[in-house]
């Protein structure tokens, strides 16, 4: 389940991705804040297969430029660049990944406290869709999501096919934002 919330006073959007508990969810809960911090640590991956006798915390720790499982580190870095943040909570019956970023409505005639009509919803002109994932399937889904949302194909950039793309992503986004001031991203 994905939930999108908007706080008009803070002019902030929050996206919550809510999943049911997976394998070893109980062990992640026992780890508490430590597990939540490890999700966003570079080079650390919370172990998928905890050993039965201990709370093994990390399946791998690497100094590689980017490794599978570094998605949390990448998303937090990107969120910070956008002056936002992200967090994760391992709750008893679910896991909630939250991304908060500043967001200003693009329509000047935006009515306060009026629910948005999905039939007339539109993204601003000249909007870009930029995303990253190291899974080919997720990359394709991200591209399709942007298309379905109404972003022109030539304004969609999905990265993650190579380690160079992953490691260069943050620099690309910073340069891109500088070069496309005034465009919505």
């Amino acid at each position: 389940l994905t939930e999108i919330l908007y706080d008009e006073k803070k002019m902030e959007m929050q996206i919550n991705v809510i999943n049911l508990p997976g394998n070893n969810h109980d062990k992640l809960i026992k780890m508490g804040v430590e597990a939540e911090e490890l999700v966003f640590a570079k080079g650390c991956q919370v172990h998928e297969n905890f050993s039965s006798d201990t709370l093994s915390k990390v399946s791998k720790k690497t100094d590689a430029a980017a490794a599978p499982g570094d998605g949390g580190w990448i998303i937090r870095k990107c969120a910070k660049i956008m002056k936002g943040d992200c967090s994760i909570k391992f709750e008893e019956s679910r896991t909630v990944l939250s991304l908060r970023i500043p967001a200003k409505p693009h329509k000047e005639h935006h009515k306060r406290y009026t629910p948005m009509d999905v039939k007339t919803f539109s993204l601003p002109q000249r909007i870009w869709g930029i995303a990253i994932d190291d899974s080919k399937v997720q990359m394709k889904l991200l591209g399709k999501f942007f298309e379905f949302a109404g972003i022109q194909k030539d304004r969609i950039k999905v990265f993650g096919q190579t380690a160079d793309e992953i490691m260069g992503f943050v620099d690309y986004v910073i340069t891109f934002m500088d070069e496309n001031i005034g465009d919505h991203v």
Side-chain angles (χ1 to χ4, degrees):
L1 172 69
T2 301
E3 169 182 73
I4 301 174
L5 308 170
Y6 185 72
D7 184 325
E8 285 193 46
K9 290 180 183 174
K10 293 181 181 178
M11 294 186 79
E12 181 178 90
M13 179 174 61
Q14 181 169 327
I15 302 170
N16 296 322
V17 178
I18 304 166
N19 289 322
L20 293 173
N23 294 337
N24 297 302
H25 188 77
D26 57 329
K27 293 178 182 175
L28 292 168
I29 291 174
K30 285 179 188 174
M31 287 175 66
V33 175
E34 186 176 13
E36 295 167 3
E37 291 171 1
L38 284 172
V39 168
F40 299 106
K42 182 185 183 318
C44 292
Q45 183 177 2
V46 180
H47 202 298
E48 294 177 6
N49 299 305
F50 288 87
S51 62
S52 58
D53 55 344
T54 63
L55 285 180
S56 172
K57 296 173 187 159
V58 177
S59 64
K60 69 178 169 195
K61 186 165 179 82
T62 178
D63 293 325
D70 276 347
W73 170 71
I74 292 169
I75 193 172
R76 177 168 272 171
K77 196 167 183 176
C78 292
K80 297 277 186 190
I81 289 168
M82 294 186 287
K83 297 182 173 76
D85 199 4
C86 57
S87 61
I88 193 165
K89 281 283 186 205
F90 296 108
E91 299 174 359
E92 198 65 38
S93 62
R94 65 188 192 162
T95 298
V96 181
L97 174 70
S98 298
L99 170 68
R100 289 181 305 95
I101 53 172
K104 180 178 170 185
H106 76 281
K107 294 181 181 178
E108 291 184 20
H109 60 277
H110 175 73
K111 295 179 183 175
R112 291 171 88 57
Y113 309 110
T114 303
M116 186 181 308
D117 182 357
V118 294
K119 293 177 185 170
T120 61
F121 172 80
S122 66
L123 292 170
Q125 295 295 316
R126 298 177 40 91
I127 192 165
W128 290 89
I130 301 176
I132 184 170
D133 202 296
D134 62 354
S135 161
K136 289 181 182 178
V137 171
Q138 294 295 337
M139 290 173 66
K140 188 161 187 82
L141 288 172
L142 285 165
K144 287 293 180 195
F145 170 79
F146 286 145
E147 283 182 50
F148 291 144
I151 300 174
Q152 299 170 8
K153 279 187 177 184
D154 64 336
R155 297 176 77 84
I156 297 172
K157 309 283 184 193
V158 181
F159 296 87
Q161 288 186 320
T162 67
D164 288 341
E165 276 190 4
I166 293 169
M167 289 313 301
F169 182 73
V170 172
D171 290 335
Y172 174 85
V173 171
I174 292 169
T175 302
F176 182 89
M177 298 293 281
D178 287 343
E179 292 173 353
N180 292 278
I181 292 174
D183 283 2
H184 300 278
V185 179

